[in-house]
């Protein structure tokens, strides 16, 4: 019974993980914010500031998750998502999009 005197609630601490997370954003402050949120959980965060840098990291290192902004100069996050999903070795890497865009139609283009 919920709320009974016999009910015991156990809080299980989050176990550290060693996921390799690639953060792609042209704003270093945003990258640092994401790092500060993930690092306490043992995630290994690599920050890059352009799509070109991200593609180099993806080709040289195993990545478990990509977190990207969509609006970046030169090559944008939409193109990064397309390149990852069209690459035979990267297509199953999950992508988390973090953006100030409020147009869900445009964000859906990144999927």
């Amino acid at each position: 019974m919920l709320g009974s005197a016999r009910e015991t609630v156990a809080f299980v601490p989050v176990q550290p993980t060693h996921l390799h997370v690639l953060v792609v954003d042209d704003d270093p402050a945003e990258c640092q914010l994401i790092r500060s949120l993930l690092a306490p959980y043992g995630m290994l965060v690599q920050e890059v500031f352009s799509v070109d840098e991200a593609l180099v990291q993806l080709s040289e290192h195993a990545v478990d998750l990509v977190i990207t902004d969509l609006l970046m100069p030169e090559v944008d996050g939409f193109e990064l998502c397309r390149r990852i999903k069209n690459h035979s070795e990267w297509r199953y890497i999950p992508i988390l999009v973090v953006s100030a865009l409020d147009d869900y139609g445009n964000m859906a283009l990144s999927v």
Side-chain angles (χ1 to χ4, degrees):
M1 289 179 12
L2 189 60
S4 74
R6 295 182 194 196
E7 182 179 324
T8 303
V9 177
F11 292 97
V12 180
V14 175
Q15 296 298 316
T17 179
H18 297 291
L19 291 175
H20 291 85
V21 179
L22 179 62
V23 178
V24 187
D25 197 316
D26 60 315
D27 183 349
E30 292 296 324
C31 290
Q32 183 57 38
L33 174 64
I34 293 169
R35 173 187 291 278
S36 71
L37 294 170
L38 300 180
Y41 296 100
M43 295 183 193
L44 307 170
V45 179
Q46 174 67 42
E47 302 168 19
V48 296
F49 307 107
S50 72
V51 168
D52 291 336
E53 288 179 276
L55 295 172
V56 169
Q57 287 298 314
L58 285 162
S59 65
E60 294 179 355
H61 303 284
V63 173
D64 299 306
L65 172 66
V66 173
I67 300 176
T68 186
D69 185 15
L70 291 178
L71 302 177
M72 292 183 280
E74 297 173 28
V75 182
D76 62 25
F78 293 107
E79 181 61 25
L80 175 62
C81 292
R82 278 190 286 278
R83 290 187 190 184
I84 290 172
K85 292 306 172 189
N86 288 328
H87 193 284
S88 61
E89 294 177 28
W90 306 337
R91 69 172 31 134
Y92 298 108
I93 298 172
I95 301 171
L96 177 64
V97 173
V98 178
S99 183
L101 271 181
D102 60 358
D103 180 355
Y104 294 111
N106 276 331
M107 284 192 283
L109 292 173
S110 66
V111 184

